[in-house]
Amino acid sequence: MALVWAGTTVVLPIIAADMVLDWDVAVELVQRFLMVLILMLPFEIRDLDYDDPELRTLPQRYGYLKTKVFGAVGAVVFFFLTFLKDYLTYFEVLGKGLAFLGLGVLMLATRRNQSQFFSSFWVEAIPIFWWVCILLLDVFLNP
């Protein structure tokens, strides 16, 4: 699922704009894949008691705590991949830094017995928060 989201939100717009699939696009693709994967983890942890064992989700395979650690490490990798890009701006570093902080807080706050609304509201709010931060950064950094 994360690969489909990453491809749809990164590769398809690049192709539609007749742009080149270069190194920076590849880094963005990996970052988007990681972000979607990390955003799925609280849902997987929440559903741990209800999922069929044959699904073999990450929390079923590796346990609740290791899944949280995986998500936290993934958030760190998500942020530091930004510095592998050939073309980098302060705007992008700040935006990815805010997304990294949101993902990190999300992984710290994820519990095995979380409320229904944690995943449904706060996890879903991370991409919206990131988008609003990008809009605000654009206003303040590009007057």
Side-chain angles (χ1 to χ4, degrees), residues 13-122:
I14 295 296
I15 292 171
D18 288 329
M19 296 173 64
V20 178
L21 294 170
D22 61 2
W23 174 253
D24 286 356
V25 173
V27 171
E28 187 67 34
L29 181 68
V30 172
Q31 284 182 305
R32 195 67 52 89
F33 174 81
L34 281 173
M35 183 177 195
V36 173
L37 186 64
I38 294 166
L39 287 172
M40 288 177 11
L41 293 179
F43 292 100
E44 298 293 339
I45 289 171
R46 178 193 68 190
D47 296 341
L48 185 58
D49 294 333
Y50 308 108
D51 283 343
D52 187 353
E54 292 178 11
L55 287 176
R56 307 276 300 147
T57 63
L58 287 174
Q60 288 174 334
R61 287 182 185 191
Y62 304 110
Y64 156 73
L65 289 176
K66 287 183 182 176
T67 302
K68 281 184 68 160
V69 169
F70 173 77
V73 169
V76 171
V77 171
F78 165 83
F79 177 67
F80 283 106
L81 280 172
T82 305
F83 298 103
L84 293 179
K85 290 189 169 187
D86 293 332
Y87 179 74
L88 188 62
T89 63
Y90 291 117
F91 177 79
E92 185 167 11
V93 173
L94 287 172
K96 295 285 172 78
L98 290 170
F100 158 71
L101 289 175
L103 291 171
V105 167
L106 172 74
M107 291 315 302
L108 286 175
T110 298
R111 303 279 179 254
R112 187 166 178 175
N113 295 320
Q114 60 194 338
S115 76
Q116 288 180 318
F117 300 109
F118 176 79
S119 295
S120 300
F121 181 76
W122 292 109

